[in-house]
Every structure is written in C-alpha cells, then in structure tokens.
Amino acid sequence: MVGPPSAFGIDLHLELRGPGLRAGLTDALREAVRTGRLAPSTPLPASRALAADLGVSRNTVVESYAELIAEGWLTARQGSGTRVANRVEPRRAAPEAPTARPDTRRPSHDLLTGSPDLSHFPRTQWLTAARRALTAAPHDALGYGDARGRMELRAALADYLARARGVYAEPERIVICSGFHHGLTLMAQVLRARRVGAVAVEAYGLDLYRDLLTNAGLHTRPLHVDEHGARLADLVRLHEASAVLMTPAHQYPTGVALSPERRTAAVDWARATGGLILEDDYDGEFRYDRQPVGALQGLDPQRVVYFGSVSKSLAPGVRLGWMVPPEELVPEIVTAKGHGDYMTSALEQLTLAEFIASGAYDRHVRSMRQRYRRRRDQLVEALRHRAPGIRVAGMAAGLQTVLELPRGTESSVVQAAARQGLAVSGLTQFRYEVADRGRPLPERDALVVNYAAPSDSAWEGALDALCRVMPQQGRYGKDETEHAGGRSAHAFAGAAAETGDEREAHPRQAPWPRGAAP
Amino acid sequence: MVGPPSAFGIDLHLELRGPGLRAGLTDALREAVRTGRLAPSTPLPASRALAADLGVSRNTVVESYAELIAEGWLTARQGSGTRVANRVEPRRAAPEAPTARPDTRRPSHDLLTGSPDLSHFPRTQWLTAARRALTAAPHDALGYGDARGRMELRAALADYLARARGVYAEPERIVICSGFHHGLTLMAQVLRARRVGAVAVEAYGLDLYRDLLTNAGLHTRPLHVDEHGARLADLVRLHEASAVLMTPAHQYPTGVALSPERRTAAVDWARATGGLILEDDYDGEFRYDRQPVGALQGLDPQRVVYFGSVSKSLAPGVRLGWMVPPEELVPEIVTAKGHGDYMTSALEQLTLAEFIASGAYDRHVRSMRQRYRRRRDQLVEALRHRAPGIRVAGMAAGLQTVLELPRGTESSVVQAAARQGLAVSGLTQFRYEVADRGRPLPERDALVVNYAAPSDSAWEGALDALCRVMPQQGRYGKDETEHAGGRSAHAFAGAAAETGDEREAHPRQAPWPRGAAP
C-alpha cells in the first residue's frame, strides 16, 4: 500500500525542517500506522532509501524506526526488514471537534431541584480570593496534603460553622471533602468497616444517596416523614439500623423542620443505642421568616456527623464540602480517604478559606438570601391569585418549596408542564417509602419547585409557566389538568414540540440534572 | 448557677445594640449552654425579668427562648418555666487558634518520592488561565456537571494526549477524575462489579494502591519486575487475575521501561483472555535521553485503560487527572461516579483546559524537563566523583531514580540519612513480592531518590547530604555505612538531634508524604 518514498513524505505532511526532525518523522509514521493508512504487515522502505528520499541522515530514520519498534507499532525481523506490526488496531477517524452531547435539549423554563441561581456566582470576588490565596500560599501547600484538608480552610470553617450554624467544630475534627456525595461515600465506607448493617433514611429524599449507601453494601430503611419531620419513634423498630441520615433543619424535599421533640428523640436514640446521626445540612443558611434552626450536631457532637457544602450557597461546580464527625471517627474517615487528600484541590480549598475569612462568603449568602426570599414571596403571591386552590407547604426556607396538588393530578401536571417546556419535579420521584407494615401509604401529590434555579431574567417566565399548568380550584382530576396544559399549549407550541414528553426528556442521566442534589 | 439577670448579660458579653439584638441574645444563651456555663436543668429568668434587665422588649426574649427550645437547648414545661435541657453535652473549650499539626517536623533535605519541584508551579500563568476560564464560562458550567467531566477539558486533553503520548483519546471516552488515586478507585469499583477476582500488580510499587484495590474487595498478585519491566509471562499462571496494573513507560519506582516484546505480550494476553491493562502513565512527559516511549494504550485502546494526571507535571495540589478507558467501559465508570461529577471542580477543569489550550502546559513541561534533566546529570556526576561504586539504575526519565547499594546496606543508609536530616526512601518499602513459588527472592538494596522534589535552592544541599551518606567503594557492609553517616554527623548535629530516628520520623502519616504517589 505504500507508494514510493517521495509520496510517503508528502502524504504524511512531514515537516522536515528545524530541530525535532526525527520526532516529526516518528510521529508521522506512528499516526500513519494508527489511522490504518499503513496497513498491518506493510513493509517499510529501507532506512537508507527513506533517508535519501527525505533528505535526512540515515541515522534519523534508523532511530525513528527503533523508537516505533520499541513502542510496538513496527516489528523488525532479521532478513525481512521493518514492517508494520499486525497487532495494532486501526484507529478510527476521530471527530474533528468535540461533538455536542446528544442530550442537550433544554427546557425553556427550569424549576428542577438542585441548583442555586448560578448567574449570581460571585466570579470577580472568587477570582480575587483565588489570586490572594495562591499568592500567599507556601510552596508545600501545592503538594500532597493532609487527609483532613488544608488547615486554613478548616480554621475558617470552624469559625463560620460555630457562628452561623451552631456547629461544634474544632478545626481538628473537620474533614474537607468534595461535597455531600463524597462525604457520604466516605461515611458509608466507615459504617461498612464498622459492620453497620442498615441506615435509616427519610422516606422522602434523593434516590442518588440511597443508591450510594446500597452500593457501599449497606441496607437502607425508610423513616416516615410527616409535618414534624422524620418520625424518630420508628427508629426503635428498625433494630438493625444503627445510623440515620437526616435533613433536620429543612427536610429534603418536603420542606419541614424537625420538631424540637424529635430533635431530642434523635439524640436520645443515638445515645441509648450507640447509633450515629448523619446530618445533611444542605441549605441551612437560607431561612426567610426567622433565624435558621441551628444544627442538630450542636446538641451532641459525639453522636452526630454534620455535613455541609457550598453547592447551594455558591455553586455545585465548586466541589467543596465538609464533614464534622465525632473526634473518634476522624481516623476512620482518614483511612477511608487513603491517608492523604487525593480528591480535593488545595488551590480551591485555599481560595474558599480566603473567601470566607474576607467576609465575601457572608456577603454573598446574605445577598442571595434576600433574592431567594423575594422569589418565594413572588411565587406565593402569584399562586394566590392565579391558582388559589394550591397550598404552598413547608417553611419559608431553602431553595425549593412543595406545592400540594389535588389527589391524582401530579403526573398529569408534570407532563403538562413538560409540554410547555417547563421542567419541574413531582414529589413522587423522591418517595422511598410506599408501605407501612404492609399497608400501602397514601399517595401525596405535589410539585417540588426550585425557585432558586432560574436566573433573574428567566424567573418571570418560569413562574408564569408554572401558574399556567397549575390545576384551578374546583377543577380537579386528570382531564381538567391536561386541559390546563392544553389551554396554553398554543402560546408554547414551539417549545412543546421541541421538548416532547417529559418522561422521555427526563431519563436517569437527564440533560438537566434531575433532582441533583443537596 | 445563674447569677442575677444583670450579671448574666455582662458575663455573656451581650451586644445589646442595633439590629440583630435577638440573634445576639440567642447566640449568647446558646453558647452559654453549650460551654456548660449554664448547667443542665438550670432555670432561666422569666422572660419579663430578663427583658427588663437587659432593656429589651419582652418579645425579644420570648422569641429567643422559643428558638432555643426549638433547637433543643432549652425546655419549657407548664408551670416550671424555661430551663436548660439536660441532654446537652457540655462543650469543651475549643482551642483559641488552630493548633499546628503535631507532626510538622521536617527534614532539612527532602528527596522522598512523589512531588515535583513545587517552587516552580506557574502561579501567574495558572491565575491567568483561571481568570480567562471563569470569565468565559457559561453560567451552567458552574452547576452539576457531566459525570465524564467538562467537555472543554476533555477536548483539550484528547488533542494533547494524542500528540504528546500517542494515546487514542476521543473526548467522548475520556473521564476526568481527581488524579490517579480517584481513577483507580473508580476502576476498582468497575472491576468489582464485573466480578473480577484479582488484579496483577508490579512487584515494586506503592502499597497505597495495593491497599486501595484490597479495600475495594479485590485480591492483588505480584508480577516480577526485572530490567525489562514487569514479567508478563507470569500473568499466564495467575489464572484468576483478569486485570493488570502497570507503569509501562517508566516502571515505578525501579525506573525501567517495559521492553517492546513485553508490550506486545501484554496486549496479546489481554486479547487472548479478555483481560484489562491499567496503564499508570504517571510521568510519561519526562524523558531526557530521547523521545518518551508512547503509551501502551495506543497499541490497543480496547484493552487498555490509560491513566494520567497533573500531579507530576504541575502539582499534586491541583487534583486533576484523566482516564481513557475502552468505550464500552465508560458507562460503568459513569455509574461508579454516581452519574454526575461530584468530585472534580468545574472551575479547575476549565482552568486546566485553558492552560493546555493556550500552550502554557507544554511550555511548563518543557521547562521542567530541562530543569530535571540538569538535576539528574548533576546527581550522576556527583556520585561518579564522590561515590564511584554506586550505580544509577533505570532510564534518564521521570522525577526519581534508583541508586543501587551494596548488599545489606539499605536500611543503615536510610537511617544514616535520617540522622543527617535527609529524607530519602529505601527501595524495600516499595517491594511487594518476597517469594517466587515458595522460594524467597533475593533482596535488592537501593535508594529511591526523588531529585525533582527540592526547590533549586535546596537541591545543592540535598545532593551533598546524599553523597555524604553513600557507602564508599570497597567499604561495604553495615559498619562502614554507619560510619559514613557518623563521619559527618558532627556538621549536622543540630539537624540530627532534631530529626531523630528515621523510622519514627516516617510513620504511616508522615509529615512529608512517604512515597506519595504517582
């Protein structure tokens, strides 16, 4: 298949000038073999011939061949010269440019849970903190770090968490992680090593975390959730559960706070049984009607593992979180991490430490709190006028709220929304518990609305789209709801056609994260 | 225990002015309970009394009490007023400031493996890339991302890896991770899910990675390492091993390249058995005597999982790495990651993408290559004059080299070095295989010297200290070596006294990372 040596040079676009002559030849030959332009077993020109043709020294060609033989692209046998090895898989043509993800269709309006308003990420202040942090960092801060994370960040967090969340957090017991997902992964390893069999989890929550625990070899058991939060009394009959995963400050996603009695009951259970409480404080900074409820961890730091992150306060793309475990657990978590910090960027840890210490973090949280409070007020007000039968459940807190729907309408409302290009979650997808001691539990129809996710410019349209698809008072049931969707389908015909059916548009790896992730 | 209400206010240093009055009171009370200053069951003053005393409205006190009741710090019972709850663990006094790590003693000279020269981290260029990347990023880049990582980085890497390492890397099959440790953790999960029983590993390497595989539920089996690299022929008798972890370009830490025959044999084995090759290309960019050997992955992208990271090329503190698996494995790795990118910062991924695309990465690698090459030349030259009996083994490549020692002297040389304040690893600590089919394998005495780790200013002293402790030609054996160390102990008396015994100074979680980590 090889043409005369001269064609060979031209065909491969060899740059035969300057330093790197041999490297260029080697690369070109390697590429030719890999792309299949030089087929397996093809004999190569004798080194002398190729050298003469290319106007290079024979040595250059010999060395080039030797290198490719060393790498396995070519073979050399006494008497038969150099040939293309026949074990090389031809490389298929690579795409010219990275192709777009196949699933980039986006909803016109996005009220799915998970993200804060990313358009307000404090880019300038973050870069300022990064510059300050990197300028001040000693060289060895860039090396392999302490498994617990950078001391600068742990010190800043100890101060912040005690002040803002009532967490009992000495820097020595804080462990930095890449967010709640990573923290729970580490904790699952620790529980597994401690031969914990089962973890109780709230009956409403993200299947992502239930799956994480299951994949780590732990069983999960649902705990009822009612208007006072998780029903702690049920823990007693879950004999094999020696840990419980909870969102006490703001149950995710139903939006209620754990009642004082149950906070007490949780700690009592942990003390009586030696159990552990895993407290996921995913959005504790955001409360709009009063001071936030402090962390449960403050009640008994020896029985609670506290988790927090910047995913709601800053952005999920900054992969930083923290866990505050009982002191005795720190060595086990360090073991689970592999005795070093192999996950979390030192530069970003230093940046966040500077960002908190400079007060920029508090300023950002305060500013976003006002913004989200306004959004929630607007949501409540709009629904009062346009869908007066709909109850807004849960506290004035966090990034999402629950809208109670008439019985049996959730699925059709979600579908009607999708047809309008509005992405919003039904509560059912967060439901874990379906039966209580054999008796099926009543369905609860509701939407989980992440009013924090849209940018300011997108919010108004999203709110309008939401109001349009809400069932009107007195008109319950499937037909009415579909009609509600159909009524305004005209105005959104383009979006509806583009978005298609919601169930299809929300596969497990949806183009927009589905219910991702406190 | 509570004094009169007036003392109460003063004692707690309440700031009773301006907005946040109630919050200030609540915090002060909470802190008093937590620190044990207010003991369990202590009755609190009536709200009217405390309000009068503090000069605030009674409502402020009532709300403050209610909040603390909600959080479980206080209890209220009909008729007995408000009391401190008796389930609250008294908080021990937190340290005033973060204490220094107890193990911050550092060696005077550090030639341990693991780190590049961190003093040359391109801080300015990195910050420039960060600014450009964050300025250009769309808002949704800051949200939850594709489990494979940011497309910008995968596209930049696809180009770089094909060009510089001969890796067959379409962006679609690249998966970003936090470095080799994370990549191997994911891969171990995949292998476990595939019911792989055992992984063959090179008989010299880091126990960190062997432990990681073991902890993931996999067995490990040693593969001999000789001057041609890992002995692939032995794979045949390891029937249960269906994956092999290797460092083909530059065996870690013995420093040899896998021979062409064995590269072929590795791919043949994988094809014949359906096995997988895990290629840890930890320092493939650094070769000083010729072009680097290309990646094994290029020979058969369907049977090799390629791993790389910036830990050697930039800094371990930037937690970014990549894996290039066969296409069919991508979904399994995505599952192991939890269907989202919960580990790796989007901002840092975008920064590295910009850093590579702008050419800064290539410039940095080239500049460091020259620097390390010079260091290695200086090392070889110094030993030639000052310890002519010592052989420098392995290729002119990478960040570390192996110095062969006379039989039976390794341990005493390492100890003598420690007494001089020189931290350097013996080869023995990397040794996994101790016997071959029941017969004990010969010991191999050597030092693993990371000549890349010191800063420029520290290098000369480290090299001098190394030469001092090397056994002199013709003077073999324990006594002579200790003498060699003792000979110069005088000049280093301070350092020696400070550093103490090397074994003690290098516990598993050493102040300077021990053999951490390609």
Side-chain angles (χ1 to χ4, degrees):
Chain A
M1 299 296 122
V2 189
S6 61
F8 191 69
I10 291 158
D11 185 41
L12 294 173
H13 304 293
L14 293 181
E15 287 285 349
L16 296 183
R17 262 162 292 149
L21 189 67
R22 181 168 61 79
L25 176 60
T26 308
D27 288 348
L29 282 168
R30 189 194 289 115
E31 201 56 21
V33 173
R34 185 154 55 190
T35 55
R37 278 197 285 170
L38 287 177
S41 299
T42 305
L44 290 175
S47 56
R48 192 184 304 269
L50 184 58
D53 194 74
L54 295 174
V56 301
S57 82
R58 187 184 163 200
N59 218 28
T60 301
V61 178
V62 168
E63 282 171 7
S64 191
Y65 281 10
E67 190 164 329
L68 293 166
I69 290 167
E71 293 180 6
W73 298 105
L74 306 180
T75 55
R77 275 211 203 91
Q78 200 66 34
S80 74
T82 305
R83 288 169 179 272
V84 176
N86 56 19
R87 51 185 44 71
V88 176
E89 288 242 328
R91 176 183 190 169
R92 285 170 310 157
E96 276 301 287
T99 56
R101 279 191 282 157
D103 48 3
T104 43
R105 287 184 308 173
R106 293 189 166 276
S108 310
H109 308 294
D110 189 350
L111 294 173
L112 286 171
T113 50
S115 244
D117 180 350
L118 300 170
S119 72
H120 285 283
F121 181 81
R123 298 187 187 213
T124 310
Q125 294 88 324
W126 186 259
L127 285 168
T128 302
R131 184 168 41 73
R132 279 196 204 145
L134 188 49
T135 306
H139 293 317
D140 67 1
L142 306 172
Y144 289 99
D146 188 303
R148 291 170 298 176
R150 291 295 308 173
M151 179 47 104
E152 294 89 337
L153 179 55
R154 289 188 278 133
L157 281 171
D159 173 62
Y160 173 78
L161 292 175
R163 172 163 57 78
R165 302 295 300 127
V167 172
Y168 173 66
E170 302 151 312
E172 286 71 21
R173 70 156 83 185
I174 297 181
V175 180
I176 304 301
C177 53
S178 304
F180 180 65
H181 190 280
H182 183 210
L184 189 61
T185 303
L186 294 171
M187 201 57 219
Q189 280 177 258
V190 169
L191 293 177
R192 193 81 185 92
R194 286 187 158 213
R195 304 192 179 281
V196 166
V199 178
V201 300
E202 292 167 328
Y204 284 94
L206 285 176
D207 52 7
L208 177 68
Y209 301 136
R210 296 193 293 267
D211 292 349
L212 188 162
L213 294 171
T214 308
N215 291 340
L218 298 159
H219 296 285
T220 59
R221 301 279 178 262
L223 266 192
H224 280 289
V225 171
D226 60 25
E227 69 274 25
H228 305 295
R231 235 164 62 188
L232 267 300
D234 296 349
L235 264 179
V236 179
R237 62 181 169 88
L238 299 175
H239 300 296
E240 81 277 58
S242 43
V244 55
L245 172 59
M246 301 176 75
T247 48
H250 189 215
Q251 205 282 325
Y252 187 87
T254 67
V256 297
L258 192 64
S259 71
E261 293 74 26
R262 292 193 185 171
R263 288 169 72 95
T264 300
V267 172
D268 283 347
W269 166 83
R271 287 186 187 163
T273 63
L276 271 178
I277 300 167
L278 314 183
E279 177 177 24
D280 176 12
D281 192 33
Y282 64 102
D283 68 356
E285 299 89 347
F286 297 109
R287 179 88 190 230
Y288 312 125
D289 53 348
R290 39 160 286 187
Q291 285 276 100
V293 177
L296 188 62
Q297 190 262 8
L299 286 187
D300 192 345
Q302 295 312 313
R303 304 254 49 99
V304 180
V305 184
Y306 175 89
F307 298 85
S309 82
V310 302
S311 295
K312 303 290 175 264
S313 57
L314 278 168
V318 181
R319 297 305 312 154
L320 283 174
W322 42 87
M323 39 203 308
V324 190
E327 273 155 10
E328 59 166 13
L329 277 187
V330 172
E332 293 164 58
I333 296 169
V334 163
T335 298
K337 279 190 112 177
H339 295 281
D341 196 346
Y342 300 111
M343 292 294 178
T344 319
S345 159
L347 306 190
E348 210 144 82
Q349 290 183 58
L350 294 171
T351 300
L352 180 59
E354 166 66 29
F355 194 78
I356 294 173
S358 71
Y361 189 79
D362 282 77
R363 280 194 296 278
H364 179 68
V365 167
R366 269 202 301 278
S367 135
M368 296 313 285
R369 196 185 286 134
Q370 284 175 3
R371 194 175 302 277
Y372 297 150
R373 182 208 308 250
R374 236 176 359 248
R375 293 243 181 117
R376 191 178 186 283
D377 290 348
Q378 289 163 351
L379 171 67
V380 170
E381 187 63 15
L383 288 172
R384 199 162 63 84
H385 285 98
R386 298 179 59 183
I390 300 301
R391 194 173 75 88
V392 178
M395 310 183 301
L399 276 57
Q400 85 284 344
T401 194
V402 168
L403 307 185
E404 301 283 0
L405 295 176
R407 181 78 60 88
T409 62
E410 181 187 304
S411 159
S412 54
V413 170
V414 169
Q415 287 173 40
R419 280 194 298 272
Q420 301 234 11
L422 168 64
V424 65
S425 304
L427 181 61
T428 305
Q429 76 175 51
F430 299 94
R431 181 175 160 135
Y432 177 35
E433 182 185 43
V434 292
D436 179 20
R437 279 166 275 197
R439 284 173 305 168
L441 286 164
E443 298 273 344
R444 184 177 170 196
D445 287 73
L447 291 187
V448 180
V449 174
N450 185 16
Y451 50 82
S455 66
D456 289 340
S457 58
W459 165 240
E460 201 177 326
L463 179 57
D464 180 62
L466 179 70
C467 288
R468 276 174 205 267
V469 297
M470 296 311 284
Q472 299 303 306
Q473 198 173 24
R475 298 198 292 120
Y476 290 169
K478 227 177 168 184
D479 288 339
E480 284 73 14
T481 317
E482 295 214 318
H483 178 67
R487 211 162 35 100
S488 41
H490 182 67
F492 281 80
E498 220 178 279
T499 308
D501 180 75
E502 193 271 346
R503 291 291 156 196
E504 276 205 10
H506 283 68
R508 182 151 179 112
Q509 296 165 256
W512 54 90
R514 191 195 63 152
Chain B
M1 297 296 123
V2 189
S6 60
F8 191 68
I10 291 156
D11 186 43
L12 293 172
H13 304 292
L14 293 182
E15 287 287 347
L16 296 184
R17 262 162 292 150
L21 189 67
R22 180 167 64 78
L25 176 60
T26 309
D27 288 349
L29 282 168
R30 191 195 288 116
E31 200 56 21
V33 174
R34 185 154 54 191
T35 55
R37 278 196 287 168
L38 287 176
S41 299
T42 305
L44 290 176
S47 57
R48 192 184 305 269
L50 184 57
D53 194 74
L54 295 176
V56 301
S57 82
R58 187 184 163 202
N59 219 30
T60 301
V61 178
V62 169
E63 283 172 6
S64 193
Y65 280 12
E67 189 163 331
L68 293 166
I69 290 167
E71 292 181 6
W73 299 105
L74 306 180
T75 57
R77 273 208 203 93
Q78 200 67 33
S80 75
T82 305
R83 291 170 177 270
V84 175
N86 56 18
R87 53 186 43 75
V88 176
E89 288 244 326
R91 177 185 190 168
R92 287 169 309 159
E96 277 300 289
T99 56
R101 277 191 284 156
D103 50 2
T104 43
R105 288 184 308 175
R106 292 187 165 277
S108 311
H109 308 294
D110 189 350
L111 294 173
L112 286 170
T113 49
S115 246
D117 180 350
L118 300 170
S119 71
H120 285 284
F121 181 81
R123 298 187 186 214
T124 309
Q125 294 89 323
W126 186 259
L127 284 169
T128 302
R131 183 167 45 71
R132 278 195 206 149
L134 189 49
T135 306
H139 293 316
D140 66 1
L142 307 171
Y144 290 99
D146 188 303
R148 292 170 298 178
R150 292 295 307 173
M151 179 47 103
E152 294 89 337
L153 179 54
R154 290 187 277 133
L157 281 171
D159 173 62
Y160 173 78
L161 292 175
R163 173 163 56 77
R165 302 294 301 127
V167 172
Y168 174 66
E170 301 151 313
E172 285 71 21
R173 70 156 82 185
I174 297 181
V175 180
I176 304 300
C177 53
S178 301
F180 180 64
H181 191 280
H182 183 210
L184 189 61
T185 302
L186 294 171
M187 202 55 222
Q189 280 177 257
V190 169
L191 293 177
R192 193 81 184 92
R194 286 188 159 213
R195 304 189 179 284
V196 166
V199 178
V201 300
E202 292 168 329
Y204 285 94
L206 284 176
D207 52 8
L208 177 69
Y209 300 136
R210 295 192 293 265
D211 291 350
L212 189 162
L213 294 170
T214 307
N215 291 340
L218 298 159
H219 296 283
T220 58
R221 301 279 177 264
L223 266 193
H224 282 288
V225 171
D226 60 26
E227 70 273 26
H228 305 296
R231 235 166 60 189
L232 267 300
D234 297 349
L235 265 179
V236 179
R237 62 182 168 88
L238 300 174
H239 299 295
E240 81 278 56
S242 43
V244 56
L245 172 59
M246 302 175 74
T247 48
H250 189 214
Q251 205 283 325
Y252 186 86
T254 65
V256 297
L258 192 64
S259 70
E261 293 73 27
R262 291 192 185 172
R263 288 169 72 93
T264 300
V267 172
D268 284 347
W269 166 84
R271 288 186 185 165
T273 64
L276 271 178
I277 300 167
L278 313 183
E279 176 177 24
D280 176 12
D281 194 33
Y282 64 103
D283 69 355
E285 298 90 347
F286 296 109
R287 178 88 191 233
Y288 312 126
D289 52 346
R290 39 159 287 186
Q291 285 276 98
V293 177
L296 188 61
Q297 190 263 9
L299 286 187
D300 191 346
Q302 295 313 313
R303 304 256 48 100
V304 179
V305 183
Y306 175 89
F307 297 85
S309 82
V310 302
S311 295
K312 304 291 174 262
S313 57
L314 278 168
V318 180
R319 297 306 312 154
L320 284 174
W322 41 87
M323 36 201 312
V324 189
E327 273 154 11
E328 59 166 14
L329 276 187
V330 172
E332 293 165 58
I333 295 169
V334 164
T335 298
K337 279 191 112 178
H339 295 282
D341 196 346
Y342 300 111
M343 292 293 178
T344 318
S345 160
L347 306 190
E348 211 144 81
Q349 291 183 58
L350 293 172
T351 301
L352 180 60
E354 167 66 30
F355 195 78
I356 294 173
S358 71
Y361 189 78
D362 282 76
R363 281 193 296 276
H364 179 68
V365 166
R366 268 202 302 276
S367 134
M368 296 313 284
R369 196 184 285 134
Q370 285 176 4
R371 194 174 304 275
Y372 297 149
R373 181 209 306 249
R374 233 171 8 242
R375 294 244 179 115
R376 191 177 186 281
D377 290 348
Q378 287 163 351
L379 171 67
V380 170
E381 187 65 15
L383 288 172
R384 199 162 64 85
H385 284 99
R386 297 177 59 184
I390 301 299
R391 193 173 75 89
V392 178
M395 309 182 300
L399 276 58
Q400 86 284 344
T401 194
V402 167
L403 307 185
E404 302 282 0
L405 296 175
R407 181 78 61 88
T409 62
E410 181 186 304
S411 158
S412 54
V413 170
V414 169
Q415 286 172 41
R419 281 194 298 273
Q420 302 233 10
L422 168 64
V424 65
S425 304
L427 181 61
T428 305
Q429 76 176 53
F430 299 94
R431 182 175 158 135
Y432 177 35
E433 183 184 42
V434 291
D436 179 18
R437 277 164 276 196
R439 283 173 306 167
L441 286 166
E443 297 272 344
R444 184 175 168 195
D445 287 73
L447 292 185
V448 180
V449 174
N450 185 15
Y451 50 82
S455 67
D456 289 341
S457 58
W459 164 240
E460 202 177 327
L463 180 56
D464 180 62
L466 180 69
C467 288
R468 276 174 205 267
V469 297
M470 295 311 284
Q472 299 302 305
Q473 196 172 25
R475 297 198 292 117
Y476 289 168
K478 229 177 164 178
D479 288 340
E480 283 75 11
T481 317
E482 294 212 322
H483 178 67
R487 211 159 38 99
S488 40
H490 182 66
F492 282 81
E498 220 178 277
T499 308
D501 180 72
E502 193 271 346
R503 290 294 155 193
E504 275 203 9
H506 283 67
R508 178 145 183 116
Q509 296 165 256
W512 53 90
R514 190 194 65 149

